[in-house]
Each structure stands twice: as C-alpha cells, then as structure tokens.
Amino acid sequence: MTENATTETAPAAEAASEKRAAVPLRKQLRRLATQLGPWRMVATLLFLTVAVFVARSSWDLPLAGDAERALYDSRASMMAPHVDQDPRIVMITYNDQTLFNTGIRSPLDRTLLANALANIDRMGAKSIGIDIVFDSPRPDDDVLKTQLKAMKTPTWLAYADQATNQNTIYFEQQKYLEAYQAEVRTAKTRPTSVRFEVDEDNVARKWPSRPKHLPPLMSNAMAPVDKAHADYQGNIRYLVPLRADKNQEVEVFNNLPIDIFGMPMDDETFAAFADSVRGRYVLIGADVIDTDQFITPLTRLPDLQSGERETMPGLEVHAHMLAQQLDGAWSKPVPDWALWSLALLVVIAGGLTSLIDLKARWVVVIFVGQLVFFLAYPFWLQRIGVDTTDLPAFGQALGWIFGYAAVGTAARTIGSRQRAFAQSALGKYLPADVAAQIMRDPDQLSLHGERRNIFCVFTDLEGFTKLSHATTPETVARLLNEYLDRLSDVVLGHGGTIDKFVGDAVVAFWGAPLSRPDDGPQAAAAALAMYEAGEKFRIDLAAEDVPPLGMTRVGLHVGDAIVGNFGGEGRIQYTALGDSMNTASRLEAANKSLKTGVLISAEAAARAGRDDLVPMGRVTLRGRAQPVDTFTPRPDLSPEQRARIADMVKAHALGDKNLYVTCATALGAEFSHDTSILFLIERLNETESGESYVLS
C-alpha cells in the first residue's frame, strides 16, 4: 500500500514542482523591492548603474577597450566584402627590388619617379596621388620638379606637418617640404594630406580627422566627395580578394612596380602598359618592408595560411579609402541615444534572467538565445553597413553579467533569509542535514519511506542510570548534554545522520538521506571514535563528585531499512525502521557479554575498509535466530597479533583442533589480562566447529 501511494504521488509531486516554477516575475520584483532592505537596495542600484556605464563606455575602459578592439577586428575581417580586382585604382610602387636595382633607399630615386610620371601623364590617368613626402633634398630634385610643373593630369603631392605628425617629421623637414611644394605647385599639381590616425594598439580602423590648416585628404582630393561625408570619420571599409582557386588569389588593387613605368618605352610597350593606367586613379608610393607599414583589422591577427602577422602599406590603406569613397560605402553610425538604450536593456535583461524560475530546458533556451544574440548581432550590423567601431559589444556582455550578478545576489540574499528561517524552524525537530535536504526538495516531507542500505550505529553508556539516581537533576542534565554533544560531534564529523537520543543512548546511521561511497569506512571510524569519546568523558568526569561511569558500548551493522518521515500530519520524525536497526542494537548489548567496547557485524566489517579488526567469533544475539560473525577494532594490537587471533578463529571454524589448541594456548598465555580475548577462547572451547555461541 505504501509503494502504491508513493507511485501515485509522483505525478502530483511533478505537477507541484511545475506549479512552483511558474513564479511570476512581477511577484519576484515586488519581493525584492519590499524585502531587500534600504542599504542593500542602494548597493544593488549602484551596481546596476555601474553595469549600464560599462555596457555603454567599455571602449574607453582599460582591458575592456582592448577586448572591444579585438572584437571589432574580428567583425571587420569576417564581414569584409570579398571582391574582384578593382578596375578603377592602380598602385605603382617602389618595392624592395626597386631599391636594390637603383641602389638608393632614402630619399627614394626621384629621377625614376620623374620618368614614371612623364609616361603615366601621357597614358591618360584620371588622377595621380603621390604618397611620398619630399622633405629632404636629393641631387636629382630639379628633374622631378620640372616634371611636376609640366603635369597635365591632376597630381596630388603628399603633405605632412609637425603639428599632426610629431614623430615622423621635424621642423627643418617641414620647412623644406613647404618650399618644395610651393615651387612645383601649379593648377594641376597640388598638396594633399596623407595623415592617418591609429588607435591605442596602433591599428588603423577609422578615417582621420581633417584639421582646417591641412590640405584635403588624398581620397577626398583625388575623387569627388559629397558634402555630407567630406569630414567622415567612421570606419575604413577594408576589402578582401576573391580566391581564384584554392591556392591563389587576385589582389584587390593592381600593384605594379614603378620600374616598368620609369624605363624608356617604345610605342608597343607604351600601348601595352597604358591600358593599366588609362582612366584610372593612380597611387604612387612605397611597398617596402618596415617602411610606411600599418596594422589593420585584416592584418591584426596572424595569417591563417602562413601563420605570420602581416602589415599593409600606407599606400594600400589610401586605396581602400578611395574605393570606399568611390562606392559611397559610408557606414552609418549608431546614435548615442541608441547605445545608451541598448546598455540599459542588456542590464535589465541580465537582471530579469537571474530571476527566471522555469524548467531547465526553458532556462537553457533563454540563456542560449541571449548568448546567440550577443555573439551575432554585432556581426549582422557590420554586414549591413553599420559603423560598429563604437559599438560596445564586450561591454554589453559585461553589463549583462553585472546585471545578472547584482539582481541575482539580491534575490539570493532574500532567499537565504527565507531558507534560514525555514531551516531553523525545521531544525527544531529534524536533524540539520535532513532539514537542509527538505529545503532543497520539500516533497520529502510527505509521509512515506524508502528502502535504503544503511550502516546503523547504537551506543549505550554503562552506569548512567546509577549516576542519575545519585546526583541532582541539574547535574544529570548537564552531564548528559555534554556527553551527547561529544558523541553527536563524532557522528556529524563523520557524515552520519543522528536518528534519535534515547536517554544516554545515541542512534545514528549512514547512507540516508544522502548516500556516499565512503559510508562504510566513515561509519566504522565513527563507531571507534564514539567509544574513545566515551572513554575520554569518563576520564574528564573523574574530577566531578559523582559515581564513576562505565564504558560506552557501540554496535555497528549494515543492512536494508525503511528510511523516511514517519508520524502523523501534526508531528513527524525522520528515522529508520527495520531488522538492520534491531541487529545493531543487539550488537551494542552484546558488548557487555563479550567483554568488548565496539562490536561490528561481518557484513559491516567487509565494507569498513579497516585493517585493525579482530574476529570475536560467531554468536547468536538475544532474540535472534540467525548467527552473526562479529569483529572488534583493536588498533592497540600489532598486525601479527591480530593475524594470530584470526588464525585461531579460522582453525576453530575449519575443525582443525590441533592448530586451534596450539593457537588458543599461546594466545591465552599472551593475553592473560585481556578479558575479551580470554572470553573468546572460552566461547570457542564450548562450541564445536562452525557453531555459534548463544548469548542468554
């Protein structure tokens, strides 16, 4: 009948659990507002305010700013458009081979540049941008100056000043540059700013600002730009080449060595190279290792194929900016009000998530959904052309975590107060560990038990009844409480459950309500420790003016029992019922007859994990028909002594009388003052092989 009742209550318990889970958020928020307390409420609100600030301003915070930049670079790289080679722009560069061929490194060979400009000018380029700063003299300056003055194609010369480039150009260099450009300036040849701005980690992510005293930026100078974006300072749109095949890719911008254009050309050669220049924007500059190289979002991480960290020539950065301007691919900034709104929303989402009280699968769905949102939406914004250089993606994730932690901590504070109150109330009539489990699973208060394999311990204090008649009730209560406190500490210290106190006796068990792998060793260790605690109590009591006490007797057995809450609706007790409990009680009582302090059944000894157990023979306990093989812990004996006692008991069980007599005679002489061993020999002498000694 009990089993059926248990089965029937399972669906009801599940339904009750689901009903408990559906706690409205409104109710939880009201509980926070009314029960949190003013100081904790202020602390929680301050923490939430900090969370909103972090979720909005993480780009400007230490470490968080580094994470934001790394996340942006991953977005810019993964979402960068994959394109064929741009037919509008061509780069003509001094490369390392050029420097080797000319034997001139710095300043660059200007005769070569003059010859190249002469050919390019005749080839019909749309516009020419020269990313070379002429800030120091060379012997062939006049050749280049003459050619610059003769240019018919709009030609833009790189300009930089000390105010905006303190570490790259000095006062004397700037004066020389200004004089040089003033001398060659014509209606077609004019200066252009080649200024870049990099972030704290030296990565070029954004278009630079345009100070009023500088000439127009190279991209703005070479091609028309609408007024709305003449001062655009958003992200640079970097392009990625389409792969022609598995091992080859075509560069986004055609990059030709200046050597080709600087050499004398016949008509056929001229015509062949003119097609690569005619009608195009021509960018001339250096593509040399360790010179004018920049880290970009595309090159910030090591290349997946080579494993090396690459850089991009400044001339190529200009090319990407020019292509972005020609395409009108201006990224749209996220308004400041939208960023603050997002920050507030993610913090609120984190706080509300900490309060969800649903089934595990729905909790997982909500968490995974928000995780996907935080990971995916910045990439989606990058894909649709939104400027995410100011989007605090990492900060929003931190803000969510802070919101979750702040509200969750506040909720747990209230919950812990409620649990402490309830557990305190339960603890007045239930063991503390049982009360804790009931707090986790209230359905265990139902009036039914379950079958468990448990280790049962019974104790009894010899002589306490005599003491209680010989002294005052107050003294009896004080001594009893002290004694029970000591034994209770032993039980709890070894992970046991205290079932009950019966006068001076303690009843405890291991294996319920929680079962652990070391229940057997812990129960056996506790049995011996309880005996030793009783002996210590006897010694301490010698100073009291009370009758002396005897030893604390302990019995330990393992077996099945029904464990659970028993009683009526008005009063219940968590206890264990069954034959194993009775056997442990009989073992405790048998100590008096067997002259021992601790008796452990063979079943419990097999799982005790101890090597100091000595067999005490087979006995039939009072009121029991089934014999029990008994053991007692004797850590005071040597392993050799324990082995000889075991050999004697084994010889008796096997019917080897000669060996038994030899062992018994030797042990009787050796343990002439050990009453438990002497009585063991006496019992074995009175029984035949395999028989048990019946305790009357």
Side-chain angles (χ1 to χ4, degrees), residues 100-122:
F100 179 80
N101 293 338
T102 61
I104 302 172
R105 186 170 188 88
S106 180
L108 297 172
D109 188 339
R110 293 176 185 174
T111 300
L112 180 62
L113 177 58
N115 294 336
L117 285 174
N119 286 326
I120 295 169
D121 194 28
R122 292 190 299 123

Side-chain angles (χ1 to χ4, degrees), residues 513-536:
L514 302 177
S515 178
R516 304 178 181 88
D518 62 344
D519 281 337
Q522 290 282 25
L528 178 59
M530 293 171 82
Y531 168 78
E532 292 173 343
E535 292 300 287
K536 178 68 165 53

